[in-house]
Amino acid sequence: MHVKKVDHIGIAVRSIEKALPFYTDVLGLPFLGIEEVGSEQVKVAFLQAGEAKIELLEPLSPESAVATFIEKRGEGIHHVALGVDDITERIRELKEHGIRMIQETPKRGAGGAWVAFMHPKSTGGVLYELCERPKTEGHQ
């Protein structure tokens, strides 16, 4: 499987408004924007961190996976997203290697990317996301 780069790191926060000043004022990371991902019940703030992005993930409802994560583990690193080409082929390769997928087929995520998550029980306890970005998009 070919990984192009670490696309982004997702960080679960209770409040983007409260967390954002650390990333922009203290770390000096450029703020790229905010969007809501209704299917995941989260609000996402994008920040540029060198070649990769940081995504701050705020739950919009107590039923969201991010809310459950925060309830169990507290705020912090939620997932690492790996940039790939041909996400469908990458999923097939991972399954051939016995990796359990949370999504068997890619779905639309933040920034218009196609995404699919690997189950942490197959990856040593780390939630990895495959991320295929559109060829022309603003949060590449």
Side-chain angles (χ1 to χ4, degrees):
M1 182 176 109
H2 176 70
V3 173
K4 297 186 322 185
K5 65 178 184 172
V6 171
D7 185 84
H8 66 270
I9 298 171
I11 300 176
V13 298
R14 286 184 176 85
S15 166
I16 287 173
E17 184 181 349
K18 289 180 182 174
L20 203 52
F22 169 73
Y23 293 92
T24 57
D25 300 343
V26 177
L27 297 181
L29 300 178
F31 172 70
L32 302 173
I34 291 181
E35 82 175 70
E36 289 188 10
V37 182
S39 63
E40 298 300 316
Q41 301 175 37
V42 293
K43 181 166 41 170
V44 182
F46 302 94
L47 300 126
Q48 191 68 50
E51 301 245 341
K53 306 265 184 313
I54 290 180
E55 289 185 358
L56 302 180
L57 308 163
E58 176 186 324
L60 293 174
S61 85
E63 291 80 36
S64 78
V66 173
T68 302
F69 176 90
I70 291 172
E71 185 67 31
K72 288 182 181 178
R73 296 180 183 89
E75 295 178 295
I77 294 176
H78 180 262
H79 67 273
V80 176
L82 305 173
V84 298
D85 287 323
D86 195 352
I87 192 170
T88 302
E89 179 64 16
R90 301 296 77 80
I91 291 169
R92 186 192 63 73
E93 290 172 355
L94 288 165
K95 288 171 62 176
E96 282 180 0
H97 284 90
I99 301 300
R100 186 171 148 208
M101 299 298 297
I102 295 173
Q103 288 89 24
E104 296 283 325
T105 57
K107 63 181 184 174
R108 284 287 183 193
W114 287 104
V115 301
F117 286 87
M118 295 176 235
H119 199 288
K121 289 187 178 178
S122 294
T123 62
V126 178
L127 179 61
Y128 284 104
E129 176 186 21
L130 298 180
C131 183
E132 181 181 341
R133 297 270 176 203
K135 300 304 178 215
T136 59
E137 51 84 44
H139 297 293
Q140 193 158 305

